[in-house]
């Protein structure tokens, strides 16, 4: 396989090898974290010889909404965003699962943290990625001592680069304490999300996830999981979840572009259910992995074929 760093990225209005797409150290976004980003996946289906981008239009919409919250000028229409993304993958001859990182950043070299009167630019690149979290086993997680940023501080909804310091503090604390991931509580003390994942619990056959007011990123996988559950006839609910409700849930799992569907074996050293993947998680997980690789005709409208 060709080194992915030689494959094209889109940077400063043109395609060039990823290894040559580099920024000046004075860049505003680097000094002040004035940027926001997306995280998307494309899945390769070897029998169909095609690569499928997952929910591309939803990712574009979320990027536009982030830009609106953060007062960026980025107004790239969906068709242009799609064409750049597809061309980058086609020209790079991607034939494996990959992760794509579109981001919009304040590109000026000027001083002072602000959002107005600073130029912004769009870039996107791809890297090979299979599992981000190990989805073949259960995750051992801890409720973080770090609290999720509130919507009035750095809105998680905006997927702002600066907010990821909050995630990084929680993730490092969890790993250094011997866990695989962290769960944030929000400022009210209710369950929010993981460092880069949304969270779901199952109680009495019902699938429950924190609502949009729990300082979460409005995850595209989260939305897909809710839809999959409804299509399977599983009752769903978006509501506040208390910390100890996690401990007594029958099943708990993370969802995310990176994480996909990652089931949780224990939280704060309390075994969830019987410590195995639960039936609701298993059903959703199976359908998720089969639909993202283009194996389910009902969900083909979520996919953009690259070839
Ligand atoms: N929350 C956070 C903080 C994230 O970084 C991510 C990953 N993008 C998610 C949730 C999951 O969102 P999505 O399903 O859109 O990837």
């Amino acid at each position: 396989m060709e080194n992915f760093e030689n494959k094209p990225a889109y940077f400063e209005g043109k395609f060039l090898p990823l290894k040559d797409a580099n920024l000046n150290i004075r860049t505003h976004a680097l000094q002040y974290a004035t940027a926001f980003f997306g995280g998307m996946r494309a899945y390769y289906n070897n029998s169909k010889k095609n690569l499928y981008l997952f929910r591309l239009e939803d990712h574009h919409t979320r990027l536009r909404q982030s830009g609106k919250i953060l007062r960026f000028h980025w107004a790239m229409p969906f068709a242009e965003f799609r064409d750049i993304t597809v061309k980058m993958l086609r020209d790079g001859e991607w034939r494996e699962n990959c992760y794509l990182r579109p981001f919009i950043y304040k590109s000026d070299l000027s001083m002072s943290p602000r959002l107005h009167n600073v130029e912004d630019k769009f870039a996107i690149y791809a890297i090979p990625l299979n599992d981000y979290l190990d989805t073949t086993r259960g995750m051992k997680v801890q409720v973080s001592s770090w609290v999720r940023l509130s919507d009035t501080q750095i809105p998680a909804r905006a997927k702002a680069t600066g907010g990821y310091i909050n995630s990084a503090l929680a993730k490092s604390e969890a790993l250094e304490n011997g866990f695989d991931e962290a769960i944030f509580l929000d400022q009210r003390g209710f369950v929010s999300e993981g460092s880069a994942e949304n969270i779901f619990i199952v109680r009495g056959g019902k699938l429950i996830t924190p609502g949009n007011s729990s300082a979460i990123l409005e995850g595209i996988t989260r939305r897909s999981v809710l839809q999959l559950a409804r299509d399977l006839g599983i009752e769903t609910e978006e509501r506040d979840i208390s910390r100890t409700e996690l401990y007594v849930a029958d099943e708990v799992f993370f969802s995310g572009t990176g994480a996909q569907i990652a089931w949780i074996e224990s939280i704060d050293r309390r075994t969830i259910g019987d410590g195995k993947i639960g039936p609701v998680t298993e059903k959703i997980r199976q359908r998720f992995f089969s639909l993202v690789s283009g194996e389910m005709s009902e969900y083909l409208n979520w996919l953009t074929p690259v070839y």
Side-chain angles (χ1 to χ4, degrees), residues 82-94:
R82 181 198 56 213
D83 292 351
I84 289 171
T85 306
V86 168
K87 182 172 165 51
M88 178 179 77
L89 294 176
R90 249 189 229 158
D91 291 357
E93 296 176 11
W94 282 91

Side-chain angles (χ1 to χ4, degrees), residues 39 59 62 148 159 164 167 193-198 217-222 255-257:
H59 280 283
R62 189 170 70 190
R148 192 69 179 131
K159 207 162 169 57
Y164 280 79
S167 291
E193 59 179 350
S195 71
E197 307 86 13
N198 293 113
L217 176 72
E218 293 182 5
I220 289 163
T221 321
R222 172 184 181 276
S255 75
T257 298

Side-chain angles (χ1 to χ4, degrees), residues 6-298:
N6 294 321
K7 292 181 188 266
Y10 184 85
F11 179 63
E12 298 186 333
K14 57 182 187 297
F15 292 98
L16 76 176
L18 174 58
K19 65 177 178 349
D20 299 327
N22 300 308
L23 285 172
N24 187 307
I25 57 167
R26 287 168 57 212
T27 303
H28 202 273
L30 185 58
Q31 300 299 327
Y32 304 113
T34 44
F36 61 91
F37 63 99
M40 320 193 294
R41 267 187 190 266
Y43 290 88
Y44 189 63
N45 183 322
N46 198 29
S47 61
K48 294 185 191 291
K49 301 280 177 246
N50 215 335
L51 182 67
Y52 297 101
L53 280 154
F54 184 60
R55 302 200 75 163
L56 191 61
E57 191 155 7
D58 296 84
H59 280 283
H60 175 261
T61 301
R62 189 170 70 190
L63 287 167
R64 290 292 300 269
Q65 290 176 351
S66 296
K68 185 170 186 182
I69 294 169
L70 299 172
R71 301 192 63 72
F72 276 57
H73 312 295
W74 189 65
M76 182 180 281
F78 173 64
E80 188 181 349
F81 177 73
R82 181 198 56 213
D83 292 351
I84 289 171
T85 306
V86 168
K87 182 172 165 51
M88 178 179 77
L89 294 176
R90 249 189 229 158
D91 291 357
E93 296 176 11
W94 282 91
R95 287 178 207 286
E96 63 183 309
N97 295 345
C98 60
Y99 178 88
L100 295 95
R101 170 56 55 80
F103 67 104
I104 295 93
Y105 60 101
K106 291 290 181 192
S107 54
D108 271 31
L109 305 182
S110 61
M111 294 283 283
S112 104
R114 65 185 189 285
L115 293 166
H116 68 288
N117 295 342
V118 209
E119 191 185 28
D120 54 62
K121 291 208 172 98
F122 166 79
I124 183 167
Y125 63 87
I127 57 169
L129 186 69
N130 283 307
D131 279 353
Y132 166 77
L133 295 178
D134 184 352
T135 56
T136 60
R137 63 175 179 87
M139 298 287 100
K140 294 183 172 66
V141 308
Q142 76 167 150
V143 173
S144 188
S145 73
W146 297 96
V147 172
R148 192 69 179 131
L149 282 159
S150 90
D151 194 58
T152 55
Q153 294 165 333
I154 301 181
R157 177 174 289 101
K159 207 162 169 57
T161 301
Y164 280 79
I165 281 291
N166 188 223
S167 291
L169 285 165
K171 179 83 182 192
S172 287
E173 178 190 59
L175 292 179
E176 287 172 2
N177 284 343
F179 297 93
D180 300 304
E181 241 314 337
I183 297 171
F184 279 118
L185 303 181
D186 67 18
Q187 308 247 330
R188 304 168 305 156
F190 288 106
V191 174
S192 175
E193 59 179 350
S195 71
E197 307 86 13
N198 293 113
I199 191 164
F200 286 85
I201 68 171
V202 178
R203 291 198 77 186
K206 190 193 277 187
L207 184 67
I208 309 161
T209 193
N212 284 342
S213 308
S214 299
I216 62 166
L217 176 72
E218 293 182 5
I220 289 163
T221 321
R222 172 184 181 276
R223 195 180 309 157
S224 309
V225 166
L226 286 170
Q227 185 67 49
L228 281 177
R230 288 183 202 118
D231 295 349
L232 282 162
I234 297 165
E235 202 184 330
T236 64
E237 194 177 359
E238 295 175 57
R239 65 152 169 88
D240 290 337
I241 297 173
S242 305
R243 175 177 186 158
T244 56
E245 209 180 348
L246 294 172
Y247 303 154
V248 298
D250 305 321
E251 305 176 34
V252 186
F253 65 90
F254 285 129
S255 75
T257 298
Q260 305 171 107
I261 309 293
W263 67 279
I264 295 175
E265 182 183 308
S266 69
I267 302 175
D268 295 339
R269 301 195 169 81
R270 289 154 178 90
T271 302
I272 303 304
D274 58 5
K276 301 201 176 68
I277 187 165
V280 173
T281 311
E282 181 64 60
K283 258 193 226 162
I284 289 173
R285 192 181 116 93
Q286 272 177 13
R287 282 174 86 89
F288 177 81
F289 281 108
S290 110
L291 83 91
V292 292
S293 49
E295 296 290 357
M296 290 181 74
S297 55
E298 332 64 300

